[in-house]
Amino acid sequence: MKTLIVASGNPGKLREMQEYLTGLDWDLQLKPKALEIEETGETFMANACLKASQVAQAMGKWAIADDSGLAVNALGGAPGIYSARYEKTDSERIERLLKELGDTANRQAQFVCAVAVACPDGSIALHSEGTCRGEILNSPRGTSGFGYDPVFYVPQWQQTFAQMQPELKHKISHRGQAFQALLPQIRSIEG
Ligand code: ITT
């Protein structure tokens, strides 16, 4: 059985990634906290590849990484790849986002998730990307999930990500889409 290092330090993302990966014939291990990778890429995919590749090389094992974020139309795609670096805590990030948007009528936004799997030598073996469209509310709703979930409303389901049952978020979210495309490919290289 191959070992797969899950290269994330974000507990919310890690929980979701582990749920997508359970049931696979891989021995999942967490990245050591001390191993931090600087996100110098200019796209979600560049940063996902960077994190997977550097963690794989440092540990000499297969690694999987996710780079994701929220792109808000009226803010020219911000916070985008800087979603984690926007402010220090989830509540401060939400507060800043709502302040920047003010009473702007255009609330369209999308979550994007890039996932990459690297071989033990650091080369990228697999990658995929998923998106989910929604709208930014004027105030938070719901307590599930993490990050910007309480202000990300999905009109089709009339709920924010933070109001959804985890199973529904997993199915329709940016991360869900990216993992649905990636899982059959991961299965094809297990062993
Ligand atoms: P790692 O790089 O260690 O995995 P990180 O939090 O720095 O952790 P990213 O650079 O990919 O990860 O930043 C993603 C940020 O985007 C994350 O901190 C959240 O604020 C936001 N985000 C991503 N997916 C989300 C989701 O499903 N729900 C809510 N917010 C999300």
Side-chain angles (χ1 to χ4, degrees), residues 13 17 43-49 51 64-69 111-117 126-131 174-175 178-179 182:
K13 270 171 58 169
M17 288 172 78
T43 62
F44 291 109
M45 189 55 80
N47 282 330
C49 290
K51 287 188 263 188
I64 184 166
D66 153 324
D67 198 68
S68 44
F111 264 124
V112 182
C113 174
V115 187
V117 175
L126 310 170
H127 58 87
S128 74
E129 195 164 292
T131 57
H174 50 312
R175 189 163 296 103
F179 272 86
L182 195 82

Coordinates of all heavy atoms in Angstrom, one line a residue, residues 13 17 43-49 51 64-69 111-117 126-131 174-175 178-179 182:
K13 N -10.1 22.3 5.7 CA -9.7 21.7 4.4 C -9.3 20.3 4.5 O -9.7 19.4 3.8 CB -8.6 22.5 3.7 CG -9.0 23.6 2.8 CD -7.9 24.4 2.4 CE -6.8 23.7 1.6 NZ -5.8 24.6 1.0
M17 N -10.7 17.0 2.8 CA -9.9 16.2 1.9 C -9.8 14.7 2.4 O -9.9 13.8 1.6 CB -8.4 16.8 1.9 CG -8.3 18.1 1.1 SD -6.7 18.8 1.3 CE -5.7 17.9 0.2
T43 N -1.3 31.3 -9.6 CA -2.7 30.7 -9.9 C -2.9 29.6 -8.8 O -1.9 29.2 -8.2 CB -2.7 30.0 -11.3 OG1 -1.7 28.9 -11.3 CG2 -2.4 30.9 -12.4
F44 N -4.2 29.2 -8.7 CA -4.5 28.1 -7.7 C -3.7 26.9 -8.1 O -3.2 26.2 -7.2 CB -6.0 27.9 -7.8 CG -6.9 29.0 -7.2 CD1 -7.7 29.8 -8.0 CD2 -6.9 29.2 -5.8 CE1 -8.4 30.8 -7.5 CE2 -7.6 30.3 -5.3 CZ -8.4 31.0 -6.1
M45 N -3.7 26.5 -9.4 CA -3.0 25.3 -9.8 C -1.5 25.4 -9.6 O -1.0 24.4 -9.1 CB -3.4 25.0 -11.3 CG -2.9 23.7 -11.7 SD -3.5 22.3 -10.7 CE -5.2 22.1 -11.4
A46 N -0.9 26.5 -9.8 CA 0.5 26.6 -9.6 C 0.8 26.4 -8.1 O 1.8 25.7 -7.8 CB 1.0 28.0 -10.0
N47 N 0.0 26.9 -7.2 CA 0.2 26.8 -5.8 C -0.1 25.3 -5.3 O 0.6 24.8 -4.5 CB -0.6 27.8 -5.0 CG 0.1 29.2 -5.0 OD1 1.3 29.3 -5.1 ND2 -0.8 30.2 -4.9
A48 N -1.1 24.7 -5.9 CA -1.4 23.3 -5.5 C -0.2 22.4 -5.9 O 0.2 21.6 -5.1 CB -2.7 22.8 -6.2
C49 N 0.3 22.6 -7.1 CA 1.5 21.8 -7.6 C 2.7 22.1 -6.8 O 3.4 21.1 -6.4 CB 1.8 22.1 -9.1 SG 0.5 21.5 -10.2
K51 N 2.8 23.0 -3.6 CA 2.7 22.4 -2.3 C 2.9 20.9 -2.4 O 3.6 20.3 -1.6 CB 1.3 22.8 -1.6 CG 1.2 24.2 -1.2 CD 0.0 24.4 -0.4 CE -1.1 25.0 -1.2 NZ -2.3 25.5 -0.4
I64 N -0.5 14.9 -1.7 CA -1.6 15.6 -2.4 C -1.9 17.0 -1.7 O -1.8 17.1 -0.5 CB -2.9 14.7 -2.3 CG1 -4.1 15.4 -3.1 CG2 -3.3 14.4 -0.8 CD1 -5.2 14.5 -3.3
A65 N -2.1 18.0 -2.5 CA -2.3 19.3 -2.0 C -3.5 20.0 -2.7 O -3.8 19.7 -3.8 CB -1.1 20.2 -2.1
D66 N -4.1 20.9 -2.0 CA -5.3 21.6 -2.5 C -4.9 23.1 -2.4 O -4.5 23.5 -1.3 CB -6.5 21.2 -1.6 CG -7.6 22.2 -1.5 OD1 -7.4 23.4 -1.4 OD2 -8.8 21.8 -1.4
D67 N -5.2 23.9 -3.4 CA -5.1 25.3 -3.2 C -6.4 25.9 -3.7 O -6.9 25.5 -4.8 CB -4.0 26.0 -4.0 CG -3.7 27.4 -3.5 OD1 -3.2 27.5 -2.3 OD2 -4.0 28.4 -4.2
S68 N -7.0 26.7 -2.8 CA -8.4 27.1 -3.1 C -8.6 28.5 -2.6 O -7.8 29.1 -1.9 CB -9.4 26.1 -2.4 OG -8.9 25.8 -1.1
G69 N -9.8 29.0 -3.0 CA -10.1 30.4 -2.6 C -11.4 30.9 -3.2 O -12.0 30.2 -4.0
F111 N -16.2 29.9 -5.8 CA -15.1 29.2 -5.1 C -14.3 28.4 -6.1 O -15.0 27.8 -7.0 CB -15.6 28.3 -4.1 CG -15.7 28.8 -2.7 CD1 -16.9 28.8 -2.0 CD2 -14.5 29.2 -2.0 CE1 -17.0 29.3 -0.7 CE2 -14.6 29.7 -0.7 CZ -15.8 29.7 0.0
V112 N -13.0 28.4 -6.0 CA -12.2 27.6 -7.0 C -11.3 26.7 -6.1 O -10.8 27.1 -5.1 CB -11.3 28.5 -7.8 CG1 -10.5 27.7 -8.8 CG2 -12.1 29.5 -8.6
C113 N -11.1 25.4 -6.6 CA -10.2 24.5 -5.9 C -9.4 23.8 -6.9 O -9.9 23.1 -7.9 CB -11.0 23.5 -5.1 SG -10.0 22.2 -4.4
A114 N -8.0 23.9 -6.8 CA -7.1 23.1 -7.6 C -6.5 22.0 -6.7 O -6.1 22.3 -5.6 CB -6.0 24.0 -8.2
V115 N -6.4 20.8 -7.2 CA -5.8 19.7 -6.4 C -4.7 19.1 -7.3 O -4.9 18.9 -8.5 CB -6.8 18.6 -6.1 CG1 -6.2 17.6 -5.2 CG2 -8.1 19.2 -5.5
A116 N -3.6 18.8 -6.6 CA -2.5 18.2 -7.4 C -1.9 17.0 -6.5 O -1.9 17.1 -5.3 CB -1.4 19.2 -7.7
V117 N -1.5 16.0 -7.2 CA -0.8 14.8 -6.6 C 0.6 14.7 -7.2 O 0.7 14.7 -8.4 CB -1.6 13.5 -6.9 CG1 -0.9 12.3 -6.3 CG2 -3.0 13.6 -6.3
L126 N -0.9 13.9 -11.2 CA -2.3 14.2 -11.5 C -2.7 15.5 -11.0 O -2.1 16.1 -10.0 CB -3.2 13.2 -10.7 CG -2.9 11.7 -10.7 CD1 -3.8 11.0 -9.7 CD2 -3.2 11.2 -12.1
H127 N -3.7 16.1 -11.7 CA -4.2 17.4 -11.2 C -5.7 17.6 -11.7 O -6.0 17.0 -12.7 CB -3.4 18.6 -11.5 CG -3.1 18.7 -13.0 ND1 -4.0 19.4 -13.8 CD2 -2.2 18.3 -13.8 CE1 -3.6 19.4 -15.0 NE2 -2.5 18.7 -15.1
S128 N -6.4 18.4 -10.9 CA -7.8 18.7 -11.4 C -8.2 20.0 -10.8 O -7.6 20.4 -9.8 CB -8.8 17.5 -11.1 OG -9.1 17.5 -9.8
E129 N -9.3 20.5 -11.3 CA -9.8 21.8 -10.8 C -11.3 21.8 -10.7 O -12.0 21.2 -11.6 CB -9.3 23.0 -11.6 CG -9.4 24.3 -11.0 CD -8.6 25.4 -11.6 OE1 -7.4 25.4 -11.6 OE2 -9.2 26.3 -12.2
G130 N -11.9 22.4 -9.7 CA -13.4 22.5 -9.6 C -13.8 23.9 -9.2 O -13.0 24.6 -8.6
T131 N -15.0 24.3 -9.6 CA -15.5 25.6 -9.2 C -17.0 25.4 -8.7 O -17.7 24.5 -9.1 CB -15.5 26.6 -10.4 OG1 -16.3 26.0 -11.5 CG2 -14.1 26.9 -10.9
H174 N -16.7 23.4 -4.9 CA -15.4 23.4 -5.7 C -14.5 22.2 -5.4 O -14.0 21.6 -6.3 CB -14.7 24.7 -5.5 CG -14.5 25.1 -4.0 ND1 -15.6 25.0 -3.1 CD2 -13.5 25.4 -3.3 CE1 -15.1 25.3 -1.9 NE2 -13.8 25.6 -2.0
R175 N -14.3 21.9 -4.1 CA -13.5 20.8 -3.7 C -14.1 19.5 -4.1 O -13.4 18.6 -4.6 CB -13.2 20.9 -2.2 CG -12.2 19.9 -1.7 CD -11.7 20.3 -0.3 NE -11.0 21.6 -0.3 CZ -11.6 22.7 0.1 NH1 -12.8 22.7 0.7 NH2 -10.9 23.9 0.1
A178 N -13.5 19.0 -7.8 CA -12.1 18.7 -8.1 C -11.8 17.2 -7.7 O -11.2 16.5 -8.5 CB -11.2 19.7 -7.4
F179 N -12.3 16.8 -6.6 CA -12.0 15.4 -6.1 C -12.8 14.4 -6.9 O -12.3 13.3 -7.2 CB -12.3 15.3 -4.6 CG -11.1 15.6 -3.8 CD1 -10.8 17.0 -3.4 CD2 -10.1 14.7 -3.4 CE1 -9.7 17.3 -2.7 CE2 -9.0 15.0 -2.7 CZ -8.8 16.3 -2.3
L182 N -10.7 13.8 -9.7 CA -9.4 13.2 -9.4 C -9.5 11.8 -9.0 O -8.5 11.0 -9.2 CB -8.7 14.1 -8.4 CG -7.3 13.9 -8.2 CD1 -6.5 14.7 -9.2 CD2 -6.8 14.3 -6.8

